[in-house]
Amino acid sequence: MSKTTVTIGLASCGVASGALPVAEELERLLAGREDVEIKKVGCIGYCYMEPLVGVERDGKNYTYGKVNVEILRRIVDEHVNGNKIVKEHLILTDGTGKQDSDSGSENSRMEKQVRIVLRNSGLIDPKNVDEYIAREGYQGLAKAVQKMSRDEVIKEVLNSGLRGRGGAGFPTGMKWRFARDAKGTQANASNPNGTDKYMVCNADEGDPGAFMDRSVLESDPHSVIEGMTIGAYAVGASHGVIYCRAEYPMAIQHLDIALGQAREWGFLGKGILGDPDFDFDIYVKEGAGAFVCGEETALIASIEGQRGMPRPRPPFPANSGVWKKPTNINNVETYANVPWILLHGAEAFNRYGHGRSKGTKVFALAGKIKKGGLAEVPMGMPLREVIYDIAGGIENDRKFKAVQLGGPSGGCVPEHLLDTPVDYESINATGAIMGSGGMVVMDEDTCVVDVARFFLAFVQKESCGKCPFCRVGTKRMLEILERITRGEGVLEDIDKLLSLAEQIKDGSLCGLGQTAPNPVQTTLKYFRDEYIAHIVEKKCPAKVCAALIRYSIDPSRCIGCARCSKVCPVKAISGEVKNPHHIDEEVCVRCGLCKKTCPVSCIELSSGDTDPKASVA
Amino acid sequence: MTAAIAGTISNLETRLTPIIERYRGKVGVAIPLLADVQKEIGYVAEEAVEYVGTELGISAAELFGVATFYAMFRFQPQGKYVVRLCRGTACHVQGSGRVAEQLERSLGIHDGETTEDLMFTLQYVACLGCCSLAPVMLVGNDVHGRLTPEKAVAVLEDLRKAQ
């Protein structure tokens, strides 16, 4: 029997789902075994099935999901030692042989994906550079530095059609050309435009609902480092900065390890890969929690240690960025694409895609879906396919209501637009944006007015305060939305919201303000009825907004078990044991604990109708 | 001045000197400098900021200007356990608002506050990046996923009982 490798996923999602005790048990069970190797890998994107354990043998690869210590013992006993697959826990087979009766239940999810950015995620040990190198790692860099001129590298990226994956979708090759053409301050003979330039990676990922960058940094940090180094070669940069959220400690740790290894191997440092004119090194700068720092000029201010406030452009960072030096900024996913493009060629990359959007996009799937996690799909796949075929459809088979794309800068896409292909232009046409790729699915139990209020509260809090329209305008919008969710709105509020939205868009300096009204505008466009229901009928159709809902006990079904009164945190429920109970609406805080606790489902949730609080306005 | 400061936070000078030396002569250090101060003292204490500012020739006003801009800095002592409840989109639609209400009720504090017994500090954060486990909270370094209001309170009660 050939050597067996047992993998365990230890990225954040795995650890959060309880992978650590499984890993400990694995090490205990296999201690001293020479025929079996344990490999600690990152995230393969099947977050809903974590913890994941894989068994690789003879070129065949089996992945088990939701593994706990007991299931692990069975896997080791039956599969590792006995070569018998533990079928009921198998989720994925990914071998060289043809799919057979061992097919895992989740195989189709993988078959629909094209993995360029996630090519190594979940397959290699992110702390082991040898494994990255064994899977074509640093070959793109070698090809660029040893066989191509700087201009040829830029041309290749331009031809690939790669666009910024942080959200705005600006052509990466063009950005690189601007930085290449900018004059640095330390010009020399081989690089007449100067070398004192900066290559920055935006790994701040402030969008709530997006976690793809975190996963790439945790699971395959070298791909980002290699992409940045190729970019540095192309634009003539000598300094690299990865600006990473401090809330991502594992990503930072893995990056630091990877940077050390890259220096040891000569992929960073002086005279990279034998090119005497190519000196480049990268350090990690920890962010400090400010959404606006995703904005290029704010990010630069933050790198310089100041408050992260954006400034007007021009000058663009390409000409005057970090410490006023020419600076190129790309996002994590953008850089992770680059090594693959250099190695396989622009044509291989833009074979995938749709219209002016080439390649693939990684989506973070979350919300009311069955299969939350990461998936990388070719551009152009319809939203419906992503949500139903890859994310497994709606949790508890409820009805789809909307999908929120692009975080606070994005919008809600309703059901009748589910056949929209995922590419920059088509998504923009709906009023949402691609953004960094967060996809939060909402079902009929989600109130879109509440969601709009949620995003406004977010941007209002995160506004840096520089522009009055953003600072004060979003505050006013939030106040109106809060009023509407309390049942105190009036019809004129809708016009006010729309007019404020336009003014904030026009009057704000940076992307945060310019896009802040998007969630309100898209929900008003597609779900105006729900706003009207809140305002006119004083009713929350999704039964979410606390002031517009009420809980009541059906006395004919209540068995008087008193469980509800015991769990009620505000003692709003009274009644004698074995007699029907009653909820005091004045005291009730609408937490819903009673409804969840009731063994006979006699507690009803309603909105509108006879709610005394709702008739105030 | 140093003696007076040392009166409020013990060994301030000894505790801050290694941090000051780490950043002496460097530019653009405000964020990591403040982060180190916070790590050492537990929060961004006024006297500590004044002390490092004087030593490094950065005005305390500038340092506070930076500190107040970013979410990671806090200006009050923290509880033994910092409870970071995720209020991201995925957590929101999965009911983290209800979890927040219940935690506030049960702990008797609001966002950013610390319980009187210095056991818990409650903080709402924008996104922990564990969206597939929503709703999520981080207590210390432990992630608790798929929360319900009852489950969240139970986690904290267990910690309190373990005292």
Side-chain angles (χ1 to χ4, degrees):
Chain A
M1 202 189 292
S2 68
K3 190 157 180 160
T4 306
T5 305
V6 181
T7 61
I8 169 127
L10 287 176
S12 288
C13 46
V15 172
S17 307
L20 285 178
V22 178
E24 273 166 31
E25 179 69 6
L26 186 62
E27 280 180 337
R28 200 186 64 79
L29 287 174
L30 298 177
R33 288 277 292 266
E34 288 192 352
D35 58 325
V36 191
E37 184 196 359
I38 299 172
K39 189 153 93 176
K40 293 173 178 172
V41 299
C43 172
I44 202 164
Y46 282 57
C47 305
Y48 61 104
M49 277 288 174
E50 294 276 5
L52 299 176
V53 168
V55 180
E56 288 173 32
R57 179 184 287 156
D58 301 328
K60 280 213 86 170
N61 189 340
Y62 299 88
T63 305
Y64 296 97
K66 294 195 174 163
V67 178
N68 57 27
V69 170
E70 260 115 75
I71 298 171
L72 177 80
R73 288 193 194 121
R74 267 193 72 193
I75 294 168
V76 170
D77 201 36
E78 293 175 28
H79 192 163
V80 178
N81 298 338
N83 212 14
K84 181 172 157 275
I85 294 153
V86 187
K87 271 195 181 166
E88 64 262 44
H89 299 293
L90 183 71
I91 59 160
L92 196 64
T93 52
D94 175 33
T96 48
K98 64 175 174 42
Q99 295 295 328
D100 47 30
S101 55
D102 300 330
S103 250
S105 56
E106 307 296 320
N107 266 335
S108 66
R109 180 183 163 104
M110 191 59 87
E111 281 158 15
K112 285 198 169 274
Q113 299 188 45
V114 174
R115 289 165 80 93
I116 294 176
V117 173
L118 302 179
R119 59 195 179 276
N120 299 319
S121 291
L123 301 178
I124 65 168
D125 178 351
K127 295 183 192 171
N128 186 343
V129 66
D130 295 345
E131 292 191 14
Y132 181 69
I133 292 171
R135 288 179 58 91
E136 303 182 336
Y138 290 107
Q139 288 184 28
L141 176 66
K143 187 176 167 191
V145 174
Q146 290 165 350
K147 294 190 180 142
M148 296 165 81
S149 71
R150 291 162 196 252
D151 286 326
E152 280 167 349
V153 172
I154 291 179
K155 215 170 154 201
E156 192 75 30
V157 174
L158 211 49
N159 290 344
S160 74
L162 176 66
R163 293 165 69 178
R165 296 294 193 249
F170 191 81
T172 306
M174 223 188 275
K175 223 178 190 180
W176 286 14
R177 178 153 287 163
F178 292 147
R180 162 100 175 116
D181 290 345
K183 280 203 182 337
T185 48
Q186 294 173 358
N188 61 33
S190 64
N191 183 22
N193 291 327
T195 56
D196 202 9
K197 296 180 181 174
Y198 280 81
M199 203 73 190
V200 175
C201 175
N202 180 354
D204 196 42
E205 195 169 58
D207 273 28
F211 53 96
M212 63 286 293
D213 291 351
R214 164 187 198 143
S215 189
V216 171
L217 293 170
E218 284 178 353
S219 309
D220 192 17
H222 281 287
S223 67
V224 181
I225 295 169
E226 186 182 355
M228 274 180 86
T229 311
I230 292 169
Y233 172 76
V235 310
S238 46
H239 311 285
V241 184
I242 299 176
Y243 185 90
C244 186
R245 296 189 77 173
E247 287 94 331
Y248 288 180
M250 188 187 283
I252 291 170
Q253 187 209 1
H254 288 187
L255 270 175
D256 282 335
I257 293 170
L259 287 169
Q261 292 167 340
R263 282 183 207 115
E264 252 170 56
W265 276 75
F267 300 128
L268 287 175
K270 291 204 179 301
I272 293 170
L273 291 170
D275 182 339
D277 291 325
F278 184 28
D279 303 340
F280 177 67
D281 206 345
I282 301 172
Y283 73 96
V284 177
K285 178 98 186 177
E286 284 185 39
F291 178 64
V292 68
C293 288
E295 183 74 21
E296 285 188 341
T297 54
L299 192 148
I300 289 165
S302 187
I303 288 178
E304 294 173 356
Q306 305 161 28
R307 290 168 77 94
M309 304 230 266
R311 59 157 177 80
R313 295 178 297 182
F316 287 92
N319 292 309
S320 178
V322 179
W323 305 116
K324 303 223 167 7
K325 304 282 195 263
T327 297
N328 178 78
I329 303 180
N330 292 123
N331 145 283
V332 170
E333 192 184 331
T334 315
Y335 282 127
N337 271 300
V338 169
W340 193 95
I341 292 172
L342 263 286
L343 191 61
H344 298 271
E347 250 171 68
F349 185 78
N350 60 36
R351 254 206 323 267
Y352 303 108
H354 186 257
R356 288 171 49 218
S357 305
K358 303 297 182 193
T360 59
K361 179 79 195 87
V362 183
F363 286 102
L365 309 165
K368 308 252 178 118
I369 43 167
K370 288 181 185 158
K371 301 175 180 180
L374 285 186
E376 182 172 357
V377 300
M379 291 273 192
M381 183 182 275
L383 282 171
R384 189 185 300 278
E385 212 173 317
V386 179
I387 292 165
Y388 282 90
D389 296 351
I390 291 181
I394 313 299
E395 219 175 31
N396 304 322
D397 293 316
R398 306 284 289 171
K399 198 171 166 320
F400 174 91
K401 183 179 218 166
V403 55
Q404 213 285 340
L405 299 173
S409 311
C412 290
V413 179
E415 188 175 17
H416 74 268
L417 293 176
L418 267 186
D419 293 311
T420 307
V422 286
D423 65 64
Y424 291 95
E425 279 71 28
S426 310
I427 299 283
N428 286 353
T430 67
I433 60 164
M434 182 82 87
S436 53
M439 234 186 227
V440 182
V441 175
M442 298 163 188
D443 66 1
E444 56 197 323
D445 294 336
T446 314
C447 170
V448 290
V449 185
D450 173 66
V451 167
R453 185 201 54 77
F454 166 80
F455 280 115
L456 247 295
F458 180 83
V459 292
Q460 206 275 318
K461 208 170 138 215
E462 293 293 336
S463 167
C464 82
K466 196 170 189 170
C467 309
F469 278 105
C470 177
R471 182 181 66 238
V472 186
T474 57
K475 176 92 180 152
R476 292 290 97 86
M477 282 182 96
L478 176 61
E479 284 165 0
I480 294 173
L481 288 165
E482 279 173 345
R483 244 187 8 244
I484 295 175
T485 55
R486 281 201 307 267
E488 296 162 10
V490 289
L491 279 173
E492 291 76 49
D493 282 339
I494 291 181
D495 297 328
K496 256 189 224 162
L497 282 173
L498 289 172
S499 135
L500 274 169
E502 286 307 318
Q503 294 176 56
I504 294 166
K505 286 194 154 182
D506 292 344
S508 299
L509 186 65
C510 83
L512 186 143
Q514 286 159 5
T515 59
N518 279 354
V520 180
Q521 284 177 310
T522 54
T523 48
L524 266 174
K525 185 170 167 192
Y526 300 119
F527 300 96
R528 190 175 286 232
D529 289 356
E530 280 198 38
Y531 280 84
I532 308 273
H534 281 75
I535 294 169
V536 179
E537 298 166 53
K538 310 296 175 199
K539 181 176 170 181
C540 174
K543 296 175 187 159
V544 170
C545 297
L548 301 181
I549 57 172
R550 63 180 203 133
Y551 288 90
S552 55
I553 296 175
D554 179 352
S556 67
R557 282 186 290 150
C558 178
I559 54 169
C561 69
R563 284 190 206 176
C564 56
S565 66
K566 280 196 194 109
V567 298
C568 178
V570 292
K571 309 261 174 278
I573 306 178
S574 56
E576 311 247 312
V577 176
K578 291 189 180 163
N579 284 311
H581 280 52
H582 172 75
I583 299 177
D584 183 346
E585 272 173 39
E586 293 300 315
V587 182
C588 175
V589 291
R590 278 95 169 138
C591 70
L593 276 181
C594 53
K595 186 170 160 61
K596 263 189 231 149
T597 311
C598 179
V600 292
S601 306
C602 77
I603 297 178
E604 283 161 2
L605 171 60
S606 58
S607 181
D609 317 325
T610 55
D611 189 337
K613 279 189 181 171
S615 57
V616 176
Chain B
M1 183 181 127
T2 323
I5 291 162
T8 39
I9 295 173
S10 59
N11 306 323
L12 193 73
E13 196 181 328
T14 2
R15 289 166 77 183
L16 294 179
T17 302
I19 298 174
I20 290 164
E21 291 316 317
R22 204 173 301 152
Y23 296 104
R24 199 182 287 284
K26 293 186 182 161
V27 288
V29 298
I31 297 170
L33 169 69
L34 286 161
D36 285 356
V37 168
Q38 175 163 288
K39 212 173 188 180
E40 178 61 39
I41 309 289
Y43 66 105
V44 179
E46 202 174 323
E47 52 265 54
V49 171
E50 277 172 7
Y51 183 68
V52 295
T54 311
E55 290 291 313
L56 291 174
I58 312 173
S59 81
E62 189 187 330
L63 288 174
F64 270 112
V66 171
T68 50
F69 188 81
Y70 295 100
M72 74 175 278
F73 297 112
R74 33 185 202 260
F75 305 94
Q76 301 292 329
Q78 301 278 287
K80 184 173 177 195
Y81 298 100
V82 179
V83 181
R84 293 191 175 85
L85 178 70
C86 182
R87 296 291 285 118
T89 324
C91 287
H92 180 75
V93 303
Q94 299 279 39
S96 79
R98 296 272 184 270
V99 177
E101 282 170 23
Q102 188 69 4
L103 282 178
E104 289 192 6
R105 258 195 303 274
S106 139
L107 294 174
I109 51 172
H110 298 289
D111 177 23
E113 296 175 352
T114 301
T115 53
E116 267 181 32
D117 60 359
L118 288 179
M119 271 291 279
F120 299 109
T121 297
L122 183 61
Q123 260 178 19
Y124 297 156
V125 296
C127 187
L128 289 169
C130 293
C131 311
S132 53
L133 301 171
V136 177
M137 71 177 179
L138 194 66
V139 183
N141 285 321
D142 296 332
V143 179
H144 301 269
R146 300 199 172 96
L147 288 178
T148 59
E150 308 90 305
K151 208 169 138 187
V153 170
V155 167
L156 303 190
E157 268 169 12
D158 285 349
L159 285 172
R160 195 165 251 155
K161 270 184 212 145
Q163 284 300 299

mmCIF file with all atom_site columns, all heavy atoms in Angstrom, chain A residues 295-297 311-317 509 511:
data_model
loop_
_atom_site.group_PDB
_atom_site.id
_atom_site.type_symbol
_atom_site.label_atom_id
_atom_site.label_alt_id
_atom_site.label_comp_id
_atom_site.label_asym_id
_atom_site.label_entity_id
_atom_site.label_seq_id
_atom_site.pdbx_PDB_ins_code
_atom_site.Cartn_x
_atom_site.Cartn_y
_atom_site.Cartn_z
_atom_site.occupancy
_atom_site.B_iso_or_equiv
_atom_site.pdbx_formal_charge
_atom_site.auth_seq_id
_atom_site.auth_comp_id
_atom_site.auth_asym_id
_atom_site.auth_atom_id
_atom_site.pdbx_PDB_model_num
ATOM 1  N N   . GLU A 1 295 ? -11.026 52.213 0.865   1.00 0.00 ? 295 GLU A N   1
ATOM 2  C CA  . GLU A 1 295 ? -10.863 53.245 -0.156  1.00 0.00 ? 295 GLU A CA  1
ATOM 3  C C   . GLU A 1 295 ? -9.367  53.534 -0.308  1.00 0.00 ? 295 GLU A C   1
ATOM 4  O O   . GLU A 1 295 ? -8.672  53.756 0.667   1.00 0.00 ? 295 GLU A O   1
ATOM 5  C CB  . GLU A 1 295 ? -11.613 54.498 0.327   1.00 0.00 ? 295 GLU A CB  1
ATOM 6  C CG  . GLU A 1 295 ? -11.630 55.647 -0.625  1.00 0.00 ? 295 GLU A CG  1
ATOM 7  C CD  . GLU A 1 295 ? -12.575 55.428 -1.791  1.00 0.00 ? 295 GLU A CD  1
ATOM 8  O OE1 . GLU A 1 295 ? -13.499 54.594 -1.669  1.00 0.00 ? 295 GLU A OE1 1
ATOM 9  O OE2 . GLU A 1 295 ? -12.382 56.084 -2.821  1.00 0.00 ? 295 GLU A OE2 1
ATOM 10 N N   . GLU A 1 296 ? -8.903  53.535 -1.562  1.00 0.00 ? 296 GLU A N   1
ATOM 11 C CA  . GLU A 1 296 ? -7.457  53.640 -1.801  1.00 0.00 ? 296 GLU A CA  1
ATOM 12 C C   . GLU A 1 296 ? -6.765  54.755 -1.020  1.00 0.00 ? 296 GLU A C   1
ATOM 13 O O   . GLU A 1 296 ? -5.767  54.534 -0.343  1.00 0.00 ? 296 GLU A O   1
ATOM 14 C CB  . GLU A 1 296 ? -7.197  53.865 -3.295  1.00 0.00 ? 296 GLU A CB  1
ATOM 15 C CG  . GLU A 1 296 ? -7.382  52.628 -4.130  1.00 0.00 ? 296 GLU A CG  1
ATOM 16 C CD  . GLU A 1 296 ? -6.927  52.841 -5.579  1.00 0.00 ? 296 GLU A CD  1
ATOM 17 O OE1 . GLU A 1 296 ? -6.804  53.986 -6.033  1.00 0.00 ? 296 GLU A OE1 1
ATOM 18 O OE2 . GLU A 1 296 ? -6.686  51.833 -6.238  1.00 0.00 ? 296 GLU A OE2 1
ATOM 19 N N   . THR A 1 297 ? -7.296  55.974 -1.143  1.00 0.00 ? 297 THR A N   1
ATOM 20 C CA  . THR A 1 297 ? -6.565  57.090 -0.533  1.00 0.00 ? 297 THR A CA  1
ATOM 21 C C   . THR A 1 297 ? -6.642  57.046 0.993   1.00 0.00 ? 297 THR A C   1
ATOM 22 O O   . THR A 1 297 ? -5.713  57.476 1.673   1.00 0.00 ? 297 THR A O   1
ATOM 23 C CB  . THR A 1 297 ? -7.104  58.446 -1.040  1.00 0.00 ? 297 THR A CB  1
ATOM 24 O OG1 . THR A 1 297 ? -8.515  58.502 -0.818  1.00 0.00 ? 297 THR A OG1 1
ATOM 25 C CG2 . THR A 1 297 ? -6.843  58.619 -2.529  1.00 0.00 ? 297 THR A CG2 1
ATOM 26 N N   . ARG A 1 311 ? -8.921  61.332 0.382   1.00 0.00 ? 311 ARG A N   1
ATOM 27 C CA  . ARG A 1 311 ? -8.669  62.681 -0.136  1.00 0.00 ? 311 ARG A CA  1
ATOM 28 C C   . ARG A 1 311 ? -9.090  62.716 -1.598  1.00 0.00 ? 311 ARG A C   1
ATOM 29 O O   . ARG A 1 311 ? -9.266  61.658 -2.222  1.00 0.00 ? 311 ARG A O   1
ATOM 30 C CB  . ARG A 1 311 ? -7.181  63.027 0.002   1.00 0.00 ? 311 ARG A CB  1
ATOM 31 C CG  . ARG A 1 311 ? -6.266  62.057 -0.747  1.00 0.00 ? 311 ARG A CG  1
ATOM 32 C CD  . ARG A 1 311 ? -4.936  62.675 -1.073  1.00 0.00 ? 311 ARG A CD  1
ATOM 33 N NE  . ARG A 1 311 ? -4.048  61.709 -1.719  1.00 0.00 ? 311 ARG A NE  1
ATOM 34 C CZ  . ARG A 1 311 ? -4.095  61.370 -3.001  1.00 0.00 ? 311 ARG A CZ  1
ATOM 35 N NH1 . ARG A 1 311 ? -5.040  61.858 -3.792  1.00 0.00 ? 311 ARG A NH1 1
ATOM 36 N NH2 . ARG A 1 311 ? -3.242  60.504 -3.504  1.00 0.00 ? 311 ARG A NH2 1
ATOM 37 N N   . PRO A 1 312 ? -9.280  63.900 -2.148  1.00 0.00 ? 312 PRO A N   1
ATOM 38 C CA  . PRO A 1 312 ? -9.711  63.960 -3.543  1.00 0.00 ? 312 PRO A CA  1
ATOM 39 C C   . PRO A 1 312 ? -8.644  63.409 -4.487  1.00 0.00 ? 312 PRO A C   1
ATOM 40 O O   . PRO A 1 312 ? -7.452  63.466 -4.199  1.00 0.00 ? 312 PRO A O   1
ATOM 41 C CB  . PRO A 1 312 ? -9.895  65.466 -3.783  1.00 0.00 ? 312 PRO A CB  1
ATOM 42 C CG  . PRO A 1 312 ? -9.842  66.127 -2.451  1.00 0.00 ? 312 PRO A CG  1
ATOM 43 C CD  . PRO A 1 312 ? -9.112  65.227 -1.532  1.00 0.00 ? 312 PRO A CD  1
ATOM 44 N N   . ARG A 1 313 ? -9.089  62.876 -5.619  1.00 0.00 ? 313 ARG A N   1
ATOM 45 C CA  . ARG A 1 313 ? -8.166  62.449 -6.665  1.00 0.00 ? 313 ARG A CA  1
ATOM 46 C C   . ARG A 1 313 ? -8.490  63.241 -7.930  1.00 0.00 ? 313 ARG A C   1
ATOM 47 O O   . ARG A 1 313 ? -9.686  63.488 -8.184  1.00 0.00 ? 313 ARG A O   1
ATOM 48 C CB  . ARG A 1 313 ? -8.346  60.955 -6.947  1.00 0.00 ? 313 ARG A CB  1
ATOM 49 C CG  . ARG A 1 313 ? -7.979  60.088 -5.772  1.00 0.00 ? 313 ARG A CG  1
ATOM 50 C CD  . ARG A 1 313 ? -8.218  58.641 -6.047  1.00 0.00 ? 313 ARG A CD  1
ATOM 51 N NE  . ARG A 1 313 ? -9.635  58.340 -6.293  1.00 0.00 ? 313 ARG A NE  1
ATOM 52 C CZ  . ARG A 1 313 ? -10.108 57.116 -6.521  1.00 0.00 ? 313 ARG A CZ  1
ATOM 53 N NH1 . ARG A 1 313 ? -9.299  56.102 -6.541  1.00 0.00 ? 313 ARG A NH1 1
ATOM 54 N NH2 . ARG A 1 313 ? -11.381 56.918 -6.743  1.00 0.00 ? 313 ARG A NH2 1
ATOM 55 N N   . PRO A 1 314 ? -7.569  63.662 -8.788  1.00 0.00 ? 314 PRO A N   1
ATOM 56 C CA  . PRO A 1 314 ? -6.134  63.441 -8.685  1.00 0.00 ? 314 PRO A CA  1
ATOM 57 C C   . PRO A 1 314 ? -5.513  64.280 -7.563  1.00 0.00 ? 314 PRO A C   1
ATOM 58 O O   . PRO A 1 314 ? -6.190  65.179 -7.085  1.00 0.00 ? 314 PRO A O   1
ATOM 59 C CB  . PRO A 1 314 ? -5.652  63.914 -10.071 1.00 0.00 ? 314 PRO A CB  1
ATOM 60 C CG  . PRO A 1 314 ? -6.673  64.890 -10.545 1.00 0.00 ? 314 PRO A CG  1
ATOM 61 C CD  . PRO A 1 314 ? -7.965  64.431 -9.967  1.00 0.00 ? 314 PRO A CD  1
ATOM 62 N N   . PRO A 1 315 ? -4.242  64.007 -7.245  1.00 0.00 ? 315 PRO A N   1
ATOM 63 C CA  . PRO A 1 315 ? -3.401  62.992 -7.875  1.00 0.00 ? 315 PRO A CA  1
ATOM 64 C C   . PRO A 1 315 ? -3.827  61.576 -7.512  1.00 0.00 ? 315 PRO A C   1
ATOM 65 O O   . PRO A 1 315 ? -4.225  61.329 -6.380  1.00 0.00 ? 315 PRO A O   1
ATOM 66 C CB  . PRO A 1 315 ? -2.016  63.300 -7.301  1.00 0.00 ? 315 PRO A CB  1
ATOM 67 C CG  . PRO A 1 315 ? -2.279  63.967 -5.996  1.00 0.00 ? 315 PRO A CG  1
ATOM 68 C CD  . PRO A 1 315 ? -3.539  64.729 -6.170  1.00 0.00 ? 315 PRO A CD  1
ATOM 69 N N   . PHE A 1 316 ? -3.757  60.686 -8.454  1.00 0.00 ? 316 PHE A N   1
ATOM 70 C CA  . PHE A 1 316 ? -4.076  59.293 -8.229  1.00 0.00 ? 316 PHE A CA  1
ATOM 71 C C   . PHE A 1 316 ? -2.909  58.596 -7.534  1.00 0.00 ? 316 PHE A C   1
ATOM 72 O O   . PHE A 1 316 ? -1.762  59.023 -7.698  1.00 0.00 ? 316 PHE A O   1
ATOM 73 C CB  . PHE A 1 316 ? -4.402  58.614 -9.557  1.00 0.00 ? 316 PHE A CB  1
ATOM 74 C CG  . PHE A 1 316 ? -5.741  59.027 -10.090 1.00 0.00 ? 316 PHE A CG  1
ATOM 75 C CD1 . PHE A 1 316 ? -5.860  60.103 -10.956 1.00 0.00 ? 316 PHE A CD1 1
ATOM 76 C CD2 . PHE A 1 316 ? -6.901  58.364 -9.707  1.00 0.00 ? 316 PHE A CD2 1
ATOM 77 C CE1 . PHE A 1 316 ? -7.095  60.510 -11.430 1.00 0.00 ? 316 PHE A CE1 1
ATOM 78 C CE2 . PHE A 1 316 ? -8.144  58.764 -10.170 1.00 0.00 ? 316 PHE A CE2 1
ATOM 79 C CZ  . PHE A 1 316 ? -8.246  59.831 -11.041 1.00 0.00 ? 316 PHE A CZ  1
ATOM 80 N N   . PRO A 1 317 ? -3.221  57.522 -6.793  1.00 0.00 ? 317 PRO A N   1
ATOM 81 C CA  . PRO A 1 317 ? -2.134  56.817 -6.107  1.00 0.00 ? 317 PRO A CA  1
ATOM 82 C C   . PRO A 1 317 ? -1.013  56.384 -7.060  1.00 0.00 ? 317 PRO A C   1
ATOM 83 O O   . PRO A 1 317 ? 0.147   56.327 -6.661  1.00 0.00 ? 317 PRO A O   1
ATOM 84 C CB  . PRO A 1 317 ? -2.834  55.597 -5.498  1.00 0.00 ? 317 PRO A CB  1
ATOM 85 C CG  . PRO A 1 317 ? -4.246  56.043 -5.309  1.00 0.00 ? 317 PRO A CG  1
ATOM 86 C CD  . PRO A 1 317 ? -4.538  56.964 -6.461  1.00 0.00 ? 317 PRO A CD  1
ATOM 87 N N   . LEU A 1 509 ? -17.096 62.551 -1.450  1.00 0.00 ? 509 LEU A N   1
ATOM 88 C CA  . LEU A 1 509 ? -15.789 62.484 -2.082  1.00 0.00 ? 509 LEU A CA  1
ATOM 89 C C   . LEU A 1 509 ? -15.409 61.068 -2.491  1.00 0.00 ? 509 LEU A C   1
ATOM 90 O O   . LEU A 1 509 ? -14.821 60.847 -3.546  1.00 0.00 ? 509 LEU A O   1
ATOM 91 C CB  . LEU A 1 509 ? -14.778 63.000 -1.037  1.00 0.00 ? 509 LEU A CB  1
ATOM 92 C CG  . LEU A 1 509 ? -13.340 63.182 -1.412  1.00 0.00 ? 509 LEU A CG  1
ATOM 93 C CD1 . LEU A 1 509 ? -13.233 64.272 -2.458  1.00 0.00 ? 509 LEU A CD1 1
ATOM 94 C CD2 . LEU A 1 509 ? -12.551 63.604 -0.163  1.00 0.00 ? 509 LEU A CD2 1
ATOM 95 N N   . GLY A 1 511 ? -15.906 56.556 -2.418  1.00 0.00 ? 511 GLY A N   1
ATOM 96 C CA  . GLY A 1 511 ? -16.844 55.480 -2.715  1.00 0.00 ? 511 GLY A CA  1
ATOM 97 C C   . GLY A 1 511 ? -17.802 55.167 -1.585  1.00 0.00 ? 511 GLY A C   1
ATOM 98 O O   . GLY A 1 511 ? -18.942 54.773 -1.830  1.00 0.00 ? 511 GLY A O   1
#
